[in-house]
């Protein structure tokens, strides 16, 4: 590609006339001169000398010469970095386009480049064959340029690496021995393992012209590996362009896309690999859902994390006291060192199991490892089994104590024989046994057999019909080495050898580390909460959320197939399994674009007997200078005109004022004379002014039921509460708003008061769905049946209560409970013990707190969040309602003005609860407040 070229170079011949233009522009008529009429003086001058033309100033001549030269160059159309080269006419154009993950950033330029090549083929009457390297199928038969443009317009980048061999094979098959004139390969620039095969296929086509067209590669940056180590999340990143140093930022995001932590990522000049460490606490790192490079929107710059990346909290218990003199003989020595890179280890302070086990269980670990513990204290069995049933994983190692333990131990996966089996020696049963191949079921599936491991002592399992199903590893003679059993949602795993190297050399091998690491995947992160699935056989997980080419998770699964996975199995992205999450919302497995060992190297198209011309993408490189030259010529013309006017006295003092005034008048009138620009549709939408007013001021809202009397009381009641809020609090709401919930926007209002009437029209299903969505998005609806009867405690149901049940039948409401005495509603602003309205007999129903489901745990104030639903039957609006003079409209039952006062206070507490949430439940600041109060 040249630096500068002319689209019409023959126009430059006009430059030879510049000397003639110079000679013509040298002369100019003499400047007119004004004089008072002196007849004799004028005649004397006329008779005295002959007037001759004056010479044009040199700078004015130069200005006009520049203007003429600018016009000539503009007509010649100079272009910076023009696209050069034409197609070979010896055959069709074969166009291969990488639409892989790294082409997202410059995809439009790639489309423009391909379109330009298709245009060249159309001008030369050549057919075009176009294939895309990430497509599942290829139609490579040469066709018309119009058909190629349709394929190009329909193509989009995909979150996959290029599959070039399949595309090249399709070209070879389509040409069937004929030769293409030109092969143009628009590559993403990244080498793959298939490049050699693709080059061989292209070389067999014997094309006259082969072009490799690549971009700059600055956006080819990929996250290849993430490891959740003990102190930080370590991230490995690869890049393609290595010419200069580069600094990026890695963001750790949660499932909602919120950034939880960041870390700098620095590439040294010439380096292709960089690492970053995202330092964050263990609990926060367990909330990481994906990693993304800031500023790069590609599937390669996003790394998905599933449950396997979360660190587990593991408690270690031993039946033997620590041996500081001989640490290699400690039962937990090899276990703790094997787990340190993968888990956070908890070691109890006391060796007394009666004290240490409750201490460990209070931390809710994901797994508990017991090394040679035979008989547990009787009072520890029940809490340990309760922890197991909630999803905990208990891993036990044999030893002398376990071998001597009773056979009816409920915390072992299989029935054990008393005593241990010795292998080797004078009194042994057989020779020391090596390990057998790991079975296809269980977390150890796919691990290579540890040929250097032998076992000389073990505890034996009693034969049973299901012993083979419970065996995850065995010795060469078939006796179990690792057995397992499910306990409700939890699991017990037993190593039939000791945790130190006295019974076998398994703890000294690398297989021991890998086995413990895989068992940590069996233990669910976050403690004993959900059932573990790690011990099951390989299961097929359906596509759940898939990445698009921009690195965004979407619900579109396309042609993706279920993922068959098993513990320890790493699946690479493919056509059948594109990158994304497979499973469901309860649990999923992540498939990332590139494997951990991936490298981004430049593509190599060299082949014996094939010459490849390298080019860059067109688009922003080719720039025409014609507009700039025409603009320059126009500016010079205006400047020349202004100079001539000045030289001819056009701006004399007498005429200057009038002309300036005319110019100013023209400039002032010009905006009014120009047609008004068309208004955008968004600027003319009705209701914008009202929406801004709703956003600027808080309004209390009520549902228009269609019954005039009910709606009148609702409006008057909210008006009374509005005035009370204005007088008693810092909140100054606007006028109450009546809502047609079937069409009005609900998001402007923190709470909506809904008076239930059995005679009002039943809301439609679409309307109820809008209310459901409003409550899901953080809004609260206060339902008031106004009949002092609540049907939620099993009593009789009134007509209004039945209507409320019909409305809520299709709404996903949470579990409800009467507001407890320590609920935030009782102390959000005023201290209240009940929530009266016109009546005072009905409780205020709110969302039940999680603590209420545990009868052994006393109720406590909930944390963050506001109940999306409040239900009462006390007719709050009736107690709040006032007329234009501020006089209450309806009496309380019984008649008691203090009851009305408490009804208003109930309204204030509800509004403060809506607007501030449960901040008063936060006890973090209590010590500081007490310190300031001097207490």
């Amino acid at each position: 590609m040249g630096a500068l070229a002319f689209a019409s170079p023959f126009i430059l011949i006009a430059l030879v006339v510049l000397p003639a233009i110079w000679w013509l522009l040298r002369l100019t008529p003499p400047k007119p001169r004004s004089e008072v009429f002196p007849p004799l003086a004028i005649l004397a001058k006329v008779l005295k000398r002959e007037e001759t033309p004056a010479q044009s100033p040199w700078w004015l001549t130069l200005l006009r010469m520049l203007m003429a030269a600018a016009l000539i160059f503009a007509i010649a159309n100079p272009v910076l970095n023009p696209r050069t080269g034409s197609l070979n006419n010896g055959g069709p154009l074969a166009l291969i386009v990488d639409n892989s993950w790294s082409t997202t950033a410059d995809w439009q330029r790639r489309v423009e480049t391909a379109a330009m090549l298709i245009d060249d083929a159309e001008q030369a009457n050549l057919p075009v064959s176009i294939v895309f390297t990430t497509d599942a199928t290829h139609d490579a038969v040469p066709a018309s340029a119009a058909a190629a443009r349709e394929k190009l317009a329909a193509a989009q980048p995909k979150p996959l690496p290029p599959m070039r061999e399949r595309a090249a094979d399709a070209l070879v098959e389509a040409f069937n021995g004929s030769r293409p004139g030109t092969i143009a390969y628009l590559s993403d620039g990244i080498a793959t393992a298939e490049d050699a095969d693709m080059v061989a296929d292209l070389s067999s086509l014997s094309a006259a012209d082969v072009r490799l067209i690549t971009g700059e590669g600055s956006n080819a940056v990929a996250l290849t590996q993430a490891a959740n180590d003990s102190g930080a999340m370590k991230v490995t990143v690869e890049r393609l362009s290595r010419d200069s140093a580069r600094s990026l930022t890695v963001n750790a995001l949660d499932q909602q896309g919120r950034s939880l932590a960041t870390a700098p990522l620095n590439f040294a000049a010439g380096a292709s690999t960089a690492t970053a460490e995202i330092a964050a606490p263990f609990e926060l790192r367990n909330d990481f859902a994906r990693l993304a490079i800031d500023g790069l929107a590609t599937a390669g710059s996003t790394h998905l994390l599933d449950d396997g990346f979360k660190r587990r909290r593991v408690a270690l218990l031993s039946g033997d006291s620590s041996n500081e003199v001989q640490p290699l003989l400690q039962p937990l020595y090899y276990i703790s060192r094997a787990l340190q890179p993968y888990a956070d280890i908890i070691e109890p302070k006391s060796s007394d199991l009666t004290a240490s086990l409750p201490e460990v269980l209070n931390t809710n670990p994901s797994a508990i490892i017991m090394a040679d513990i035979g008989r547990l204290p009787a009072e520890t069995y029940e809490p340990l089994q309760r922890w197991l049933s909630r999803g905990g994983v208990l891993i036990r190692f044999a030893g002398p104590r376990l071998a001597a333990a009773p056979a009816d131990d409920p915390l072992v996966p299989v029935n054990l024989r008393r005593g241990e089996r010795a292998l080797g020696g004078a009194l042994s049963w057989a020779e020391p046994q090596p390990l057998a191949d790991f079975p296809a079921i269980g977390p150890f599936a796919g691990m290579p057999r540890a040929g250097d491991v032998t076992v000389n002592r073990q505890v034996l399992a009693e034969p049973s019909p299901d012993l083979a199903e419970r065996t995850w590893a065995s010795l060469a003679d078939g006796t179990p080495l690792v057995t397992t059993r499910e306990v409700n949602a939890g699991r017990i795993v037993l190593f039939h050898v000791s945790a130190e190297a006295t019974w076998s050399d398994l703890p000294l091998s690398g297989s021991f580390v890998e086995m413990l690491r895989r068992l940590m995947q069996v233990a669910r992160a976050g403690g004993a909460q959900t059932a573990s699935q790690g011990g099951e056989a390989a299961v097929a997980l359906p596509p759940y959320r898939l990445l698009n080419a921009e690195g965004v998770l979407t619900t579109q699964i396309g042609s993706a197939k279920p993922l068959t996975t098993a513990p320890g199995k790493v699946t690479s992205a493919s056509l059948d399994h594109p990158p994304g999450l497979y499973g469901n919302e309860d649990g999923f497995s992540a498939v990332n674009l590139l494997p951990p060992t991936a490298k981004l190297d430049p593509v190599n198209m060299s082949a014996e007997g094939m010459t490849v011309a390298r080019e860059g993408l067109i688009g922003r490189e080719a720039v025409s200078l014609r507009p700039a030259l025409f603009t320059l010529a126009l500016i010079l013309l205006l400047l020349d005109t202004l100079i001539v006017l000045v030289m001819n006295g056009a701006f004399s003092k007498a005429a200057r004022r009038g002309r300036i005034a005319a110019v100013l008048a023209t400039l002032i009138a010009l905006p009014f004379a120009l047609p008004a620009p068309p208004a955008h549709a968004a600027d003319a939408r009705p209701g914008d002014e009202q929406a801004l007013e709703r956003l600027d001021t808080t309004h209390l809202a009520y549902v228009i039921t269609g019954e005039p009397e009910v709606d009148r009381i609702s409006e008057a009641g909210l008006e009374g509460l509005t005035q009370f809020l204005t007088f008693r609090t810092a909140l100054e709401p606007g006028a109450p708003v009546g809502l047609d919930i079937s069409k009005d926007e609900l998001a402007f209002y923190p709470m909506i008061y809904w008076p239930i009437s059995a005679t009002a029209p039943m809301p439609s299903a679409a309307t109820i769905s809008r209310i459901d969505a409003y409550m899901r998005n953080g809004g609260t609806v206060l339902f008031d049946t106004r009949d002092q009867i609540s049907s939620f405690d099993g009593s009789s149901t009134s007509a209004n209560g039945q209507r409320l049940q019909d409305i809520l039948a299709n709404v996903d409401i949470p579990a409800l409970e009467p507001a407890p005495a320590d609920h935030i509603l009782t102390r959000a602003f005023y201290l209240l013990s009940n929530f009266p309205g016109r009546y005072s007999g009905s409780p205020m129903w709110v969302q039940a707190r999680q603590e209420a489901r545990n009868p052994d745990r006393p109720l406590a104030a909930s944390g963050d969040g506001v109940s999306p639903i409040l239900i009462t039957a006390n007719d709050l609006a009736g107690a709040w309602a006032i007329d234009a003079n501020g006089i209450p409209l309806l009496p309380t039952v019984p008649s008691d003005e203090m009851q009305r006062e408490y009804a208003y206070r109930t309204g204030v507490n509800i509004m403060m609860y809506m607007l501030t949430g449960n901040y008063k439940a936060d006890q973090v600041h209590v010590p500081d407040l007490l310190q300031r109060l001097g207490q």
Side-chain angles (χ1 to χ4, degrees), residues 580-788:
L581 303 176
Y582 291 78
N584 53 49
E585 60 184 4
D586 296 327
F588 45 77
S589 179
V591 174
N592 286 294
L593 177 70
L594 299 176
T597 58
K599 297 289 183 181
L600 301 188
D601 296 317
V603 64
N604 183 11
M605 289 285 292
S606 60
E608 185 176 354
M610 185 175 69
T611 303
V612 179
R614 292 183 173 268
E615 300 178 8
L617 299 175
I618 67 168
R620 287 189 289 266
E621 287 90 346
V623 179
S624 174
L625 299 181
R626 172 180 282 180
L629 291 173
F630 272 125
T631 301
L632 176 61
L634 179 61
I635 293 174
L636 294 177
L637 177 62
L638 294 177
L639 183 59
D640 180 84
T641 302
L642 182 62
I643 292 173
V644 172
L645 291 175
V646 172
M647 293 178 63
N648 290 335
F651 298 100
S652 60
K653 289 183 179 181
R656 187 180 306 164
R657 287 191 297 269
R659 288 182 173 86
I660 292 177
V663 171
L664 291 176
T666 302
L667 293 176
I668 293 173
L670 185 60
F672 300 97
L674 293 175
H680 296 287
D683 298 334
R685 288 189 302 178
D688 281 357
E689 182 178 352
Q690 183 185 40
L692 291 174
E693 194 273 335
R694 296 286 189 268
L695 292 172
D696 185 61
T697 304
T698 301
H699 294 265
L700 308 186
Y702 64 93
V703 173
I704 298 176
T705 63
E707 296 189 343
E709 181 61 21
V710 175
D711 296 340
R712 183 180 71 86
I713 296 299
S714 297
E715 182 178 11
L718 294 190
E719 176 61 31
L721 180 59
T722 296
Q723 294 186 17
F724 192 88
L725 285 165
T726 303
F727 296 150
R728 299 290 184 92
T729 72
L731 176 63
E732 297 182 2
V737 177
L739 295 178
D740 182 352
I741 55 175
S742 64
K743 60 182 181 180
D744 288 342
E745 178 58 55
L746 308 180
F748 300 142
Y749 312 100
M751 184 200 71
I752 299 175
Y753 176 77
W754 191 337
I756 302 299
S757 175
T759 58
M762 179 68 183
S764 65
T767 300
I768 294 176
S769 297
R770 297 183 83 240
I771 288 295
D772 190 15
Y774 167 76
M775 291 193 292
R776 287 178 183 274
N777 292 328
T780 297
V781 181
L782 172 57
F783 294 97
D784 193 344
T785 58
R786 304 173 296 118
D787 53 8
Q788 198 185 359

Side-chain angles (χ1 to χ4, degrees), residues 71 119 142 168 175 185 237 285 308 320 443 483 576 611 625 643 684 876:
L71 285 173
D119 291 343
F175 278 91
Y185 177 30
V237 183
R285 279 182 279 131
D320 192 6
T483 54
D576 292 336
T611 303
L625 299 181
I643 292 173
L876 294 176

Side-chain angles (χ1 to χ4, degrees), residues 289-371:
R290 58 190 172 98
L291 307 174
I293 300 177
D294 192 20
L296 296 179
T298 66
S301 63
T302 302
H303 193 86
L304 301 175
L305 305 176
D306 55 19
D307 194 60
F309 285 89
K310 297 180 180 180
R311 291 181 64 82
R312 276 66 171 166
R313 183 183 287 112
V314 181
L316 303 184
L317 299 175
S318 172
D320 192 6
S321 59
S322 61
N323 189 339
E324 297 181 357
V325 179
Q326 295 178 313
L328 297 181
L329 298 180
Q330 294 181 19
L332 299 176
Y333 179 82
Y334 298 100
I335 296 176
S336 62
R337 276 149 185 80
L339 289 178
Q340 279 178 356
Y342 310 110
D344 286 275
I345 296 176
I346 303 171
E347 296 188 23
K349 301 177 182 177
S350 173
S351 59
D352 183 4
L353 293 179
T354 306
S356 60
L357 257 178
E359 174 189 344
V360 163
L361 292 176
N362 286 336
T363 63
N364 192 25
S366 299
I368 297 177
I369 298 181
M370 294 183 179

Side-chain angles (χ1 to χ4, degrees), residues 471-650:
T471 301
W472 277 354
S474 60
L475 301 182
D477 62 358
T479 56
L481 175 66
V482 180
T483 54
T484 182
R485 176 169 63 90
E486 290 184 357
V487 180
N488 294 332
R491 183 174 293 278
I492 300 174
V493 180
L494 172 64
F495 281 77
H496 290 239
V497 294
S498 63
E500 81 287 339
T502 56
W503 285 25
S504 73
D505 50 8
L506 176 64
L508 304 178
S509 68
S511 298
F512 185 71
V513 178
E514 180 64 14
M515 293 171 75
L516 288 180
R517 187 189 72 82
R518 295 196 179 196
L519 286 177
M520 291 303 100
Q521 307 305 313
V522 174
R524 302 288 291 180
Q529 296 175 358
T530 58
S532 172
Q533 300 174 351
E536 301 296 330
V539 294
L541 303 177
Y544 174 52
R545 297 284 190 273
L546 297 183
L547 277 181
N548 61 15
E550 289 77 23
V552 178
L553 281 173
T554 67
T555 57
Q556 299 178 0
I557 61 175
S559 60
K561 297 180 180 179
L563 175 69
T564 302
T565 184
K569 178 181 178 182
V570 179
T571 304
S572 299
S574 63
L575 279 172
D576 292 336
H577 305 119
L581 303 176
Y582 291 78
N584 53 49
E585 60 184 4
D586 296 327
F588 45 77
S589 179
V591 174
N592 286 294
L593 177 70
L594 299 176
T597 58
K599 297 289 183 181
L600 301 188
D601 296 317
V603 64
N604 183 11
M605 289 285 292
S606 60
E608 185 176 354
M610 185 175 69
T611 303
V612 179
R614 292 183 173 268
E615 300 178 8
L617 299 175
I618 67 168
R620 287 189 289 266
E621 287 90 346
V623 179
S624 174
L625 299 181
R626 172 180 282 180
L629 291 173
F630 272 125
T631 301
L632 176 61
L634 179 61
I635 293 174
L636 294 177
L637 177 62
L638 294 177
L639 183 59
D640 180 84
T641 302
L642 182 62
I643 292 173
V644 172
L645 291 175
V646 172
M647 293 178 63
N648 290 335

Side-chain angles (χ1 to χ4, degrees), residues 83-336:
R83 187 177 65 90
T84 60
S86 59
L87 300 179
N88 188 281
N89 294 327
L93 167 65
L95 190 57
I96 308 173
V97 182
D98 277 347
N99 57 335
S100 56
W101 63 271
S102 63
T103 63
T104 303
D106 56 358
W107 177 249
Q108 189 55 40
R109 293 181 60 198
R110 294 175 181 274
V111 170
E112 293 173 1
T113 303
M116 189 69 69
L117 292 170
I118 295 173
D119 291 343
D120 291 347
E122 186 176 37
Q123 292 177 4
N125 293 321
L126 297 175
V128 180
S129 173
I130 182 170
V131 292
F132 300 91
T133 56
T134 63
D135 287 0
T137 59
H138 300 288
D139 181 11
V141 177
S144 64
R149 288 194 191 93
E150 291 180 2
K151 292 183 180 180
L152 181 63
Q156 292 294 333
K158 296 182 181 180
L160 293 169
M163 290 160 280
R164 295 164 179 158
E165 184 182 6
R166 298 174 70 254
D169 288 342
L171 281 177
V172 173
E173 182 179 354
F175 278 91
N176 193 22
S178 61
R179 295 178 55 186
T182 301
I183 295 177
Y185 177 30
L186 272 70
S187 172
D188 61 7
I190 303 174
T192 67
E194 301 178 349
D195 288 354
D197 296 331
M198 178 197 66
V199 171
D201 289 339
L202 297 183
S203 178
S204 67
L205 291 174
S206 302
D209 181 19
V210 180
R211 301 182 187 179
L212 175 63
I213 304 173
T214 59
E216 60 183 6
S218 61
N219 290 288
V221 180
L223 283 161
T224 58
Q225 192 173 7
N228 197 1
D229 291 342
S230 58
M233 175 78 76
K234 293 185 178 180
V235 183
T236 303
V237 183
E238 293 286 326
R239 67 168 177 169
L240 179 63
S241 179
R242 311 168 185 176
D243 297 336
S244 59
R246 188 177 184 184
S247 296
L248 297 169
T249 300
V250 179
N251 294 326
L253 310 174
D254 64 5
Q255 291 186 355
Q256 286 73 38
R258 297 170 296 193
S259 178
L260 300 180
T262 61
L265 179 72
N266 299 313
F267 284 98
S272 62
T273 305
T275 58
E277 291 190 2
I278 305 177
F282 155 71
E283 292 81 4
L284 185 61
R285 279 182 279 131
N286 276 358
D287 289 335
F288 292 175
R290 58 190 172 98
L291 307 174
I293 300 177
D294 192 20
L296 296 179
T298 66
S301 63
T302 302
H303 193 86
L304 301 175
L305 305 176
D306 55 19
D307 194 60
F309 285 89
K310 297 180 180 180
R311 291 181 64 82
R312 276 66 171 166
R313 183 183 287 112
V314 181
L316 303 184
L317 299 175
S318 172
D320 192 6
S321 59
S322 61
N323 189 339
E324 297 181 357
V325 179
Q326 295 178 313
L328 297 181
L329 298 180
Q330 294 181 19
L332 299 176
Y333 179 82
Y334 298 100
I335 296 176
S336 62

